[in-house]
Amino acid sequence: MPGPAVKAALYMIGAIASFSAMAIAGRELGKTIPTFEIMMYRSIIGLLIIVVIGLYYKSLSGIKFTNISFHLGRNIAHFTGQNLWFFAITVAPLAQVIALEFTFPLWVIILSPMFLGETLTKLRLITGIVGFSGVLIITAPWSKDLSFGIVAAGLSAIGFAGSVLFTKHLTKLESTIHILLFMTVIQTVFGFVCSVYDGKITVFSLSEIPLVAIIGISGLFAHYCLTTALTLIPAAVVSPLEFVRLPIIALLGFLLYNEPIELTLIIGASLIFISNYTNIISEARSSELDR
């Protein structure tokens, strides 16, 4: 039987493949379907999957609405971040979008003292500065080439960070299946309301069904694989494995869309990785000392 490290590596391969597939499918589908509709279809598929799993394992009982304000806050943040992300991958180089997505832990560091009462240590501040230096190198905000796609990618990370903060609070009060159930229900409503603002909903064609299915299934499967890997090995080991997604996406962008792999991307992404990894190592050591 394979050990925990081998199992975790296999789960991470699944997570990386799923996230990469969702990015490519999202870019292709975004050529004809607006991001709000993409989010609506993704949420509907996710809702069906969660209901089937919940009924099979009989884990949907005891649903409560006492924490609905936190669910709403979590899903407003995530829905906003995910829509910005889907928009960004349709108009900006894939590798730059993914690199900026990885900055969401830096925003968690900045926002957690305000929303969770956590301490902003000197090391967290330093790693945050290093990470944002990487962001500046990648985005070059002083350049005339700064696009709406790059801005959207950077803002999407803030939305994901807000989602993490709400989720961290909700995990103390709710089960994972209930959090996912509320997420898919709420975001289905959000997606529908935002989709009909212009009086119509774009219906996907038969040829686009595989892309819709990939987006709907891969998102849930990727998070399942990532969460399972975290239960098998420390986060300090999982983090660099997840970052493998960046060079894979950069290679796919080059092969499929002829997107160049620039030196500034490599340097900036390296700084973002170093800041995230250093912070995770520090948190892991602090947890060990507190035991």
Side-chain angles (χ1 to χ4, degrees):
M1 293 291 290
V6 175
K7 290 181 180 179
L10 292 175
Y11 276 115
M12 286 308 300
I13 291 174
I16 291 167
S18 297
F19 279 129
S20 301
M22 186 171 67
I24 299 300
R27 166 168 281 196
E28 293 300 315
L29 198 61
K31 295 176 181 178
T32 55
I33 298 181
T35 56
F36 288 135
E37 275 89 333
I38 292 176
M39 284 295 295
M40 182 185 68
Y41 292 133
R42 177 192 176 184
S43 299
I44 291 173
I45 294 174
L47 176 59
L48 293 174
I49 294 173
I50 292 298
V51 169
V52 170
I53 293 175
L55 291 175
Y56 181 81
Y57 288 102
K58 300 178 180 179
S59 55
L60 294 181
S61 59
I63 296 174
K64 52 189 177 181
F65 294 87
T66 52
N67 302 309
I68 190 65
S69 60
F70 292 105
H71 285 293
L72 285 172
R74 176 186 185 273
N75 285 288
I76 288 172
H78 184 268
F79 185 80
T80 303
Q82 193 70 73
N83 269 284
L84 288 168
W85 186 85
F86 273 123
F87 168 73
I89 62 174
T90 63
V91 297
L94 289 173
Q96 290 189 357
V97 173
I98 301 304
L100 293 173
E101 176 194 343
F102 277 117
T103 64
F104 79 87
L106 306 179
W107 287 107
V108 172
I109 291 172
I110 292 174
L111 297 174
S112 59
M114 292 182 282
F115 293 98
L116 297 178
E118 296 182 355
T119 304
L120 181 61
T121 63
K122 184 182 295 185
L123 181 60
R124 285 183 175 184
L125 182 60
I126 293 173
T127 55
I129 293 172
V130 172
F132 280 112
S133 298
V135 173
L136 292 176
I137 292 174
I138 292 173
T139 60
W142 51 83
S143 171
K144 294 181 181 179
D145 296 329
L146 183 65
S147 67
F148 286 114
I150 296 299
V151 173
L155 293 176
S156 72
I158 301 177
F160 293 143
S163 175
V164 168
L165 294 174
F166 278 107
T167 303
K168 190 171 183 179
H169 181 77
L170 278 169
T171 51
K172 301 175 184 177
L173 309 170
E174 302 265 13
S175 65
T176 300
I177 191 72
H178 288 174
I179 293 173
L180 291 176
L181 178 65
F182 274 105
M183 179 190 78
T184 52
V185 170
I186 292 172
Q187 294 199 24
T188 296
V189 174
F190 285 173
F192 177 77
V193 171
C194 292
S195 296
V196 299
Y197 79 98
D198 58 355
K200 62 178 181 179
I201 293 179
T202 305
V203 179
F204 53 83
S205 63
L206 289 177
S207 63
E208 291 171 331
I209 290 178
L211 297 175
V212 175
I214 288 172
I215 290 173
I217 296 171
S218 62
L220 281 178
F221 186 69
H223 285 287
Y224 167 76
C225 289
L226 183 58
T227 302
T228 305
L230 286 168
T231 66
L232 296 171
I233 57 177
V237 181
V238 171
S239 179
L241 290 175
E242 187 184 4
F243 217 85
V244 172
R245 181 157 51 108
L246 180 55
I248 291 175
I249 284 291
L251 180 60
L252 289 173
F254 174 75
L255 295 175
L256 298 177
Y257 305 108
N258 198 30
E259 296 175 353
I261 302 175
E262 299 178 350
L263 180 60
T264 52
L265 172 65
I266 297 173
I267 296 174
S270 298
L271 290 174
I272 293 170
F273 167 73
I274 291 170
S275 63
N276 284 337
Y277 188 59
T278 301
N279 192 59
I280 290 173
I281 290 291
S282 174
E283 295 298 322
R285 288 176 177 173
S286 297
S287 298
E288 289 292 331
L289 292 175
D290 291 338
R291 290 179 182 178

